[in-house]
Amino acid sequence: MVYSNIGSSYSKMGRDKEAQRYFNDARDEYDSSSEKSEECHKSWVMFDYINHAINDRYVALS
C-alpha cells in the first residue's frame, strides 16, 4: 500500500516515470506476498485497476 501511495503522489506531481516505478513495486510486492487474505486481495484488485489506468495514461502521453 505504501508503494502505491507514493506512486499516487508522484503521479499527482506529474512525475509519471517515478509513479510507474512505485506502482510496479507495489504490484511486485503483492505478487510475492505469501499471505493473501480475501480483504487484502480485494484491496489489491482495486490498486491494480488504478495502477493499470495510470500506466495506460502514461503510455498515452508518451
Side-chain angles (χ1 to χ4, degrees):
M1 237 166 141
V2 172
Y3 287 134
S4 188
N5 289 342
I6 293 170
S8 293
S9 294
Y10 275 126
S11 181
K12 288 177 185 176
M13 292 187 288
R15 296 173 65 180
D16 294 325
K17 287 184 182 184
E18 291 94 340
Q20 186 174 19
R21 187 185 72 162
Y22 278 95
F23 289 136
N24 289 337
D25 288 345
R27 183 194 61 226
D28 294 344
E29 186 66 27
Y30 173 72
D31 287 343
S32 69
S33 176
S34 61
E35 295 181 20
K36 296 179 185 174
S37 69
E38 185 175 338
E39 191 62 35
C40 180
H41 178 71
K42 288 178 184 178
S43 296
W44 279 105
V45 168
M46 180 186 67
F47 284 124
D48 189 50
Y49 174 80
I50 293 168
N51 290 345
H52 282 290
I54 290 171
N55 282 334
D56 290 345
R57 177 180 166 261
Y58 174 75
V59 169
L61 294 174
S62 297

Coordinates of all heavy atoms in Angstrom, one line a residue:
M1 N 0.8 -1.2 0.0 CA 0.0 0.0 0.0 C 0.9 1.3 0.0 O 0.5 2.2 -0.6 CB -0.9 0.0 1.2 CG -2.3 0.1 0.9 SD -3.2 -0.3 2.4 CE -4.5 0.8 2.3
V2 N 2.0 1.2 0.7 CA 2.9 2.4 0.8 C 3.4 2.7 -0.6 O 3.4 3.8 -1.0 CB 4.0 2.1 1.8 CG1 5.0 3.2 1.7 CG2 3.5 2.0 3.2
Y3 N 3.9 1.6 -1.3 CA 4.4 1.9 -2.7 C 3.3 2.5 -3.6 O 3.6 3.4 -4.3 CB 4.9 0.6 -3.3 CG 6.1 0.0 -2.8 CD1 6.2 -1.3 -2.5 CD2 7.2 0.8 -2.6 CE1 7.4 -1.8 -2.0 CE2 8.4 0.3 -2.1 CZ 8.5 -1.0 -1.8 OH 9.7 -1.6 -1.3
S4 N 2.1 2.0 -3.5 CA 1.0 2.6 -4.3 C 0.7 4.0 -3.9 O 0.5 4.9 -4.8 CB -0.2 1.7 -4.1 OG -1.2 2.1 -5.0
N5 N 0.7 4.4 -2.6 CA 0.5 5.7 -2.2 C 1.6 6.7 -2.7 O 1.3 7.8 -3.1 CB 0.4 5.8 -0.7 CG -0.8 5.2 -0.1 OD1 -1.8 5.0 -0.9 ND2 -0.8 4.9 1.1
I6 N 2.9 6.2 -2.6 CA 4.0 7.0 -3.2 C 3.8 7.2 -4.7 O 4.0 8.3 -5.2 CB 5.3 6.3 -2.8 CG1 5.6 6.4 -1.3 CG2 6.5 7.1 -3.6 CD1 6.8 5.5 -0.9
G7 N 3.4 6.1 -5.4 CA 3.2 6.3 -6.8 C 2.1 7.3 -7.1 O 2.2 8.1 -8.0
S8 N 1.0 7.3 -6.3 CA -0.1 8.2 -6.5 C 0.4 9.6 -6.3 O 0.0 10.6 -7.0 CB -1.2 7.9 -5.5 OG -1.8 6.7 -5.9
S9 N 1.3 9.8 -5.3 CA 1.8 11.2 -5.0 C 2.6 11.7 -6.2 O 2.5 12.8 -6.6 CB 2.6 11.2 -3.7 OG 1.8 10.9 -2.6
Y10 N 3.5 10.8 -6.7 CA 4.3 11.2 -7.8 C 3.5 11.5 -9.0 O 3.7 12.4 -9.8 CB 5.3 10.1 -8.2 CG 6.6 10.1 -7.4 CD1 7.1 9.0 -6.7 CD2 7.4 11.3 -7.4 CE1 8.3 9.1 -6.0 CE2 8.6 11.4 -6.7 CZ 9.0 10.3 -6.0 OH 10.2 10.3 -5.3
S11 N 2.4 10.7 -9.2 CA 1.5 10.9 -10.4 C 0.8 12.3 -10.3 O 0.7 13.0 -11.3 CB 0.5 9.8 -10.4 OG -0.4 10.0 -11.5
K12 N 0.4 12.6 -9.1 CA -0.2 13.9 -8.9 C 0.7 15.1 -9.1 O 0.3 16.2 -9.5 CB -0.8 14.1 -7.5 CG -2.0 13.2 -7.2 CD -2.5 13.3 -5.8 CE -3.6 12.3 -5.5 NZ -4.0 12.3 -4.1
M13 N 2.0 14.9 -8.9 CA 3.0 15.9 -9.2 C 3.5 15.9 -10.7 O 4.3 16.7 -11.1 CB 4.3 15.7 -8.3 CG 4.0 15.9 -6.9 SD 5.5 15.8 -5.9 CE 5.9 14.1 -5.9
G14 N 2.9 15.0 -11.5 CA 3.3 14.9 -12.9 C 4.5 14.2 -13.1 O 5.1 14.2 -14.2
R15 N 5.0 13.4 -12.1 CA 6.3 12.7 -12.3 C 6.0 11.2 -12.6 O 6.1 10.3 -11.8 CB 7.1 12.9 -11.0 CG 7.5 14.3 -10.8 CD 8.2 14.6 -9.5 NE 9.5 13.9 -9.4 CZ 10.3 13.9 -8.3 NH1 9.9 14.7 -7.3 NH2 11.4 13.2 -8.3
D16 N 5.5 11.0 -13.8 CA 4.9 9.7 -14.2 C 5.9 8.6 -14.2 O 5.6 7.5 -13.9 CB 4.3 9.9 -15.6 CG 3.1 10.8 -15.5 OD1 2.4 10.8 -14.5 OD2 2.8 11.5 -16.5
K17 N 7.2 8.8 -14.6 CA 8.2 7.7 -14.6 C 8.4 7.2 -13.2 O 8.4 6.0 -13.0 CB 9.5 8.2 -15.2 CG 9.4 8.3 -16.7 CD 10.7 8.7 -17.3 CE 10.6 8.8 -18.8 NZ 11.9 9.1 -19.4
E18 N 8.5 8.1 -12.2 CA 8.7 7.7 -10.8 C 7.4 7.0 -10.3 O 7.5 6.0 -9.6 CB 9.0 8.9 -9.9 CG 10.4 9.5 -10.1 CD 10.4 10.6 -11.1 OE1 9.4 10.8 -11.9 OE2 11.3 11.4 -11.0
A19 N 6.3 7.5 -10.7 CA 5.0 6.9 -10.3 C 4.9 5.5 -10.8 O 4.6 4.6 -10.1 CB 3.8 7.7 -10.8
Q20 N 5.2 5.3 -12.1 CA 5.1 4.0 -12.6 C 6.1 3.0 -11.9 O 5.7 1.8 -11.7 CB 5.5 4.0 -14.1 CG 5.3 2.7 -14.8 CD 5.5 2.8 -16.3 OE1 6.1 3.8 -16.8 NE2 5.0 1.9 -17.1
R21 N 7.2 3.4 -11.6 CA 8.2 2.6 -10.8 C 7.6 2.1 -9.5 O 7.7 0.9 -9.2 CB 9.5 3.3 -10.6 CG 10.6 2.4 -10.0 CD 11.8 3.2 -9.6 NE 11.4 4.0 -8.5 CZ 12.3 4.5 -7.7 NH1 13.6 4.5 -7.9 NH2 11.9 5.2 -6.6
Y22 N 7.0 3.0 -8.8 CA 6.4 2.6 -7.5 C 5.1 1.8 -7.6 O 4.9 0.9 -6.8 CB 6.1 3.9 -6.6 CG 7.3 4.4 -5.9 CD1 8.1 5.4 -6.5 CD2 7.7 3.8 -4.7 CE1 9.3 5.8 -5.8 CE2 8.9 4.2 -4.1 CZ 9.6 5.2 -4.6 OH 10.8 5.6 -4.0
F23 N 4.3 2.0 -8.7 CA 3.2 1.2 -8.9 C 3.7 -0.3 -9.3 O 3.1 -1.3 -8.8 CB 2.3 1.7 -10.0 CG 1.6 2.9 -9.6 CD1 1.5 4.0 -10.4 CD2 0.9 3.0 -8.4 CE1 0.8 5.2 -10.1 CE2 0.2 4.2 -8.0 CZ 0.2 5.2 -8.8
N24 N 4.7 -0.4 -10.0 CA 5.3 -1.7 -10.3 C 5.8 -2.4 -9.1 O 5.6 -3.6 -8.9 CB 6.4 -1.6 -11.4 CG 5.8 -1.2 -12.8 OD1 4.6 -1.5 -13.1 ND2 6.6 -0.7 -13.6
D25 N 6.5 -1.6 -8.2 CA 7.0 -2.2 -7.0 C 5.8 -2.7 -6.1 O 5.9 -3.7 -5.5 CB 7.8 -1.1 -6.2 CG 9.1 -0.8 -6.8 OD1 9.6 -1.6 -7.6 OD2 9.7 0.2 -6.4
A26 N 4.7 -1.9 -6.1 CA 3.5 -2.3 -5.3 C 3.0 -3.7 -5.9 O 2.7 -4.6 -5.1 CB 2.4 -1.3 -5.4
R27 N 2.9 -3.8 -7.2 CA 2.4 -5.0 -7.8 C 3.3 -6.2 -7.5 O 2.9 -7.2 -7.1 CB 2.3 -4.8 -9.3 CG 1.7 -6.1 -10.0 CD 1.9 -6.0 -11.5 NE 3.3 -6.0 -11.8 CZ 3.9 -5.2 -12.7 NH1 3.2 -4.3 -13.3 NH2 5.2 -5.2 -12.8
D28 N 4.6 -5.9 -7.6 CA 5.6 -7.0 -7.3 C 5.5 -7.4 -5.8 O 5.6 -8.6 -5.6 CB 7.0 -6.5 -7.6 CG 7.2 -6.3 -9.1 OD1 6.4 -6.8 -9.9 OD2 8.2 -5.6 -9.5
E29 N 5.4 -6.5 -4.9 CA 5.3 -6.8 -3.5 C 4.0 -7.7 -3.3 O 4.1 -8.7 -2.5 CB 5.2 -5.6 -2.7 CG 5.2 -5.8 -1.2 CD 6.6 -6.4 -0.7 OE1 7.6 -6.1 -1.3 OE2 6.5 -7.1 0.3
Y30 N 2.9 -7.3 -3.9 CA 1.7 -8.1 -3.7 C 1.9 -9.5 -4.3 O 1.5 -10.5 -3.7 CB 0.5 -7.5 -4.4 CG -0.7 -8.3 -4.4 CD1 -1.4 -8.6 -3.2 CD2 -1.1 -9.0 -5.5 CE1 -2.5 -9.4 -3.2 CE2 -2.2 -9.8 -5.5 CZ -2.9 -10.0 -4.3 OH -4.0 -10.9 -4.3
D31 N 2.5 -9.6 -5.5 CA 2.7 -10.9 -6.1 C 3.6 -11.8 -5.3 O 3.4 -13.0 -5.3 CB 3.3 -10.7 -7.5 CG 2.4 -10.2 -8.5 OD1 1.1 -10.2 -8.2 OD2 2.8 -9.7 -9.6
S32 N 4.5 -11.3 -4.5 CA 5.4 -12.1 -3.7 C 4.9 -12.4 -2.3 O 5.5 -13.2 -1.6 CB 6.8 -11.4 -3.6 OG 6.7 -10.2 -2.8
S33 N 3.8 -11.8 -1.9 CA 3.2 -12.0 -0.6 C 2.7 -13.4 -0.5 O 2.0 -13.9 -1.3 CB 2.1 -11.0 -0.4 OG 1.4 -11.2 0.9
S34 N 3.0 -14.0 0.6 CA 2.5 -15.4 0.9 C 1.2 -15.4 1.6 O 0.5 -16.4 1.6 CB 3.6 -16.2 1.7 OG 3.8 -15.6 2.9
E35 N 0.8 -14.3 2.2 CA -0.4 -14.3 3.0 C -1.4 -13.3 2.3 O -1.2 -12.1 2.3 CB -0.2 -13.8 4.4 CG 0.6 -14.7 5.2 CD 0.8 -14.2 6.6 OE1 0.0 -13.4 7.1 OE2 1.7 -14.7 7.3
K36 N -2.4 -13.9 1.6 CA -3.3 -13.1 0.8 C -4.7 -13.4 1.4 O -5.4 -14.2 0.9 CB -3.3 -13.4 -0.6 CG -1.9 -13.1 -1.3 CD -1.9 -13.5 -2.7 CE -0.5 -13.2 -3.3 NZ -0.4 -13.7 -4.7
S37 N -5.1 -12.6 2.3 CA -6.5 -12.7 2.8 C -7.5 -12.2 1.8 O -7.1 -11.5 0.9 CB -6.7 -11.9 4.1 OG -6.6 -10.6 3.9
E38 N -8.7 -12.5 1.9 CA -9.7 -12.1 1.0 C -9.8 -10.6 1.0 O -9.9 -9.9 -0.1 CB -11.1 -12.7 1.3 CG -12.2 -12.4 0.3 CD -13.5 -13.1 0.6 OE1 -13.5 -14.1 1.3 OE2 -14.5 -12.6 0.1
E39 N -9.8 -9.9 2.2 CA -9.9 -8.5 2.2 C -8.7 -7.8 1.6 O -8.8 -6.9 0.8 CB -10.0 -8.0 3.7 CG -10.4 -6.6 3.8 CD -11.7 -6.2 3.2 OE1 -12.6 -7.0 3.3 OE2 -11.8 -5.1 2.7
C40 N -7.5 -8.4 1.8 CA -6.3 -7.9 1.2 C -6.4 -8.0 -0.3 O -6.0 -7.1 -1.0 CB -5.1 -8.6 1.8 SG -3.5 -8.1 1.1
H41 N -6.9 -9.1 -0.7 CA -7.0 -9.4 -2.2 C -7.9 -8.3 -2.8 O -7.6 -7.8 -3.9 CB -7.5 -10.8 -2.4 CG -7.7 -11.1 -3.9 ND1 -6.6 -11.3 -4.7 CD2 -8.8 -11.2 -4.6 CE1 -7.1 -11.5 -6.0 NE2 -8.4 -11.5 -5.9
K42 N -9.0 -8.0 -2.2 CA -10.0 -7.0 -2.7 C -9.3 -5.7 -2.8 O -9.5 -5.0 -3.8 CB -11.2 -6.9 -1.8 CG -12.1 -8.1 -1.9 CD -13.3 -8.0 -1.0 CE -14.2 -9.2 -1.0 NZ -15.3 -9.1 0.0
S43 N -8.5 -5.3 -1.8 CA -7.8 -4.0 -1.9 C -6.8 -4.0 -3.0 O -6.7 -3.0 -3.7 CB -7.1 -3.8 -0.6 OG -8.0 -3.7 0.5
W44 N -6.1 -5.1 -3.2 CA -5.1 -5.1 -4.2 C -5.7 -5.1 -5.6 O -5.1 -4.6 -6.6 CB -4.1 -6.3 -4.0 CG -3.1 -5.9 -3.0 CD1 -3.0 -6.3 -1.8 CD2 -2.0 -5.0 -3.2 NE1 -1.9 -5.7 -1.1 CE2 -1.3 -4.9 -2.0 CE3 -1.6 -4.2 -4.3 CZ2 -0.2 -4.1 -1.8 CZ3 -0.5 -3.4 -4.1 CH2 0.2 -3.3 -2.9
V45 N -6.9 -5.7 -5.8 CA -7.6 -5.7 -7.1 C -7.9 -4.3 -7.4 O -7.7 -3.8 -8.6 CB -8.8 -6.6 -7.0 CG1 -9.7 -6.3 -8.2 CG2 -8.5 -8.1 -7.0
M46 N -8.3 -3.5 -6.4 CA -8.6 -2.1 -6.6 C -7.3 -1.3 -7.0 O -7.3 -0.6 -8.0 CB -9.2 -1.4 -5.4 CG -9.6 0.0 -5.6 SD -10.1 0.8 -4.1 CE -8.6 0.7 -3.1
F47 N -6.3 -1.5 -6.3 CA -5.0 -0.9 -6.6 C -4.5 -1.3 -8.0 O -4.0 -0.4 -8.7 CB -3.9 -1.2 -5.5 CG -4.1 -0.4 -4.2 CD1 -4.2 -1.1 -3.1 CD2 -4.2 0.9 -4.2 CE1 -4.4 -0.5 -1.9 CE2 -4.4 1.6 -3.0 CZ -4.5 0.9 -1.8
D48 N -4.6 -2.5 -8.3 CA -4.2 -3.0 -9.6 C -5.0 -2.3 -10.7 O -4.4 -1.8 -11.7 CB -4.4 -4.5 -9.7 CG -3.7 -5.1 -11.0 OD1 -2.6 -4.8 -11.2 OD2 -4.4 -5.8 -11.7
Y49 N -6.3 -2.1 -10.5 CA -7.1 -1.4 -11.5 C -6.6 0.1 -11.7 O -6.4 0.6 -12.8 CB -8.5 -1.4 -11.1 CG -9.4 -0.6 -12.0 CD1 -9.9 -1.1 -13.2 CD2 -9.8 0.7 -11.6 CE1 -10.7 -0.3 -14.0 CE2 -10.6 1.5 -12.4 CZ -11.0 1.0 -13.6 OH -11.8 1.8 -14.4
I50 N -6.3 0.7 -10.6 CA -5.9 2.1 -10.6 C -4.5 2.2 -11.2 O -4.2 3.0 -12.1 CB -5.8 2.7 -9.2 CG1 -7.2 2.8 -8.6 CG2 -5.1 4.0 -9.1 CD1 -7.3 3.1 -7.1
N51 N -3.6 1.2 -10.9 CA -2.3 1.2 -11.5 C -2.3 1.1 -13.0 O -1.6 1.8 -13.7 CB -1.4 0.1 -10.8 CG -1.1 0.4 -9.4 OD1 -1.2 1.5 -8.9 ND2 -0.6 -0.6 -8.7
H52 N -3.2 0.2 -13.4 CA -3.3 0.0 -14.9 C -3.8 1.3 -15.6 O -3.4 1.6 -16.6 CB -4.2 -1.2 -15.2 CG -3.5 -2.5 -15.0 ND1 -2.5 -3.0 -15.9 CD2 -3.6 -3.5 -14.1 CE1 -2.1 -4.1 -15.5 NE2 -2.7 -4.5 -14.4
A53 N -4.8 1.9 -14.9 CA -5.3 3.1 -15.5 C -4.3 4.2 -15.6 O -4.2 4.9 -16.6 CB -6.5 3.6 -14.7
I54 N -3.5 4.3 -14.6 CA -2.4 5.3 -14.6 C -1.3 5.0 -15.6 O -0.8 5.8 -16.4 CB -1.8 5.5 -13.2 CG1 -2.9 6.2 -12.3 CG2 -0.5 6.4 -13.2 CD1 -2.5 6.3 -10.8
N55 N -1.0 3.7 -15.7 CA 0.0 3.3 -16.6 C -0.5 3.5 -18.1 O 0.3 3.9 -18.9 CB 0.4 1.8 -16.5 CG 1.4 1.6 -15.3 OD1 2.1 2.5 -14.9 ND2 1.3 0.4 -14.7
D56 N -1.8 3.2 -18.3 CA -2.4 3.5 -19.6 C -2.3 5.0 -20.0 O -2.0 5.3 -21.1 CB -3.8 3.0 -19.7 CG -4.0 1.5 -19.6 OD1 -2.9 0.8 -19.9 OD2 -5.1 1.1 -19.4
R57 N -2.5 5.8 -19.0 CA -2.4 7.3 -19.2 C -1.0 7.7 -19.5 O -0.7 8.4 -20.4 CB -2.8 8.0 -17.9 CG -2.7 9.5 -18.0 CD -3.2 10.2 -16.7 NE -2.7 11.6 -16.7 CZ -1.7 12.0 -16.0 NH1 -0.9 11.2 -15.3 NH2 -1.3 13.3 -16.1
Y58 N 0.0 7.0 -18.8 CA 1.4 7.3 -19.0 C 1.8 6.9 -20.5 O 2.4 7.7 -21.2 CB 2.3 6.6 -18.0 CG 3.7 6.7 -18.3 CD1 4.4 7.8 -18.0 CD2 4.4 5.6 -18.9 CE1 5.8 8.0 -18.3 CE2 5.8 5.7 -19.2 CZ 6.5 6.9 -18.9 OH 7.8 7.0 -19.1
V59 N 1.4 5.8 -20.9 CA 1.7 5.3 -22.3 C 1.0 6.2 -23.3 O 1.7 6.5 -24.3 CB 1.2 3.8 -22.4 CG1 1.3 3.4 -23.9 CG2 2.0 2.9 -21.6
A60 N -0.2 6.6 -23.0 CA -0.9 7.5 -24.0 C -0.2 8.8 -24.1 O -0.2 9.5 -25.2 CB -2.3 7.7 -23.5
L61 N 0.4 9.3 -23.0 CA 1.1 10.6 -23.1 C 2.5 10.5 -23.7 O 3.1 11.5 -24.1 CB 1.3 11.2 -21.7 CG -0.1 11.6 -21.0 CD1 0.2 12.0 -19.5 CD2 -0.7 12.7 -21.8
S62 N 3.1 9.3 -23.8 CA 4.4 9.1 -24.3 C 4.5 9.3 -25.8 O 3.6 9.1 -26.5 CB 4.9 7.7 -23.9 OG 5.0 7.6 -22.5

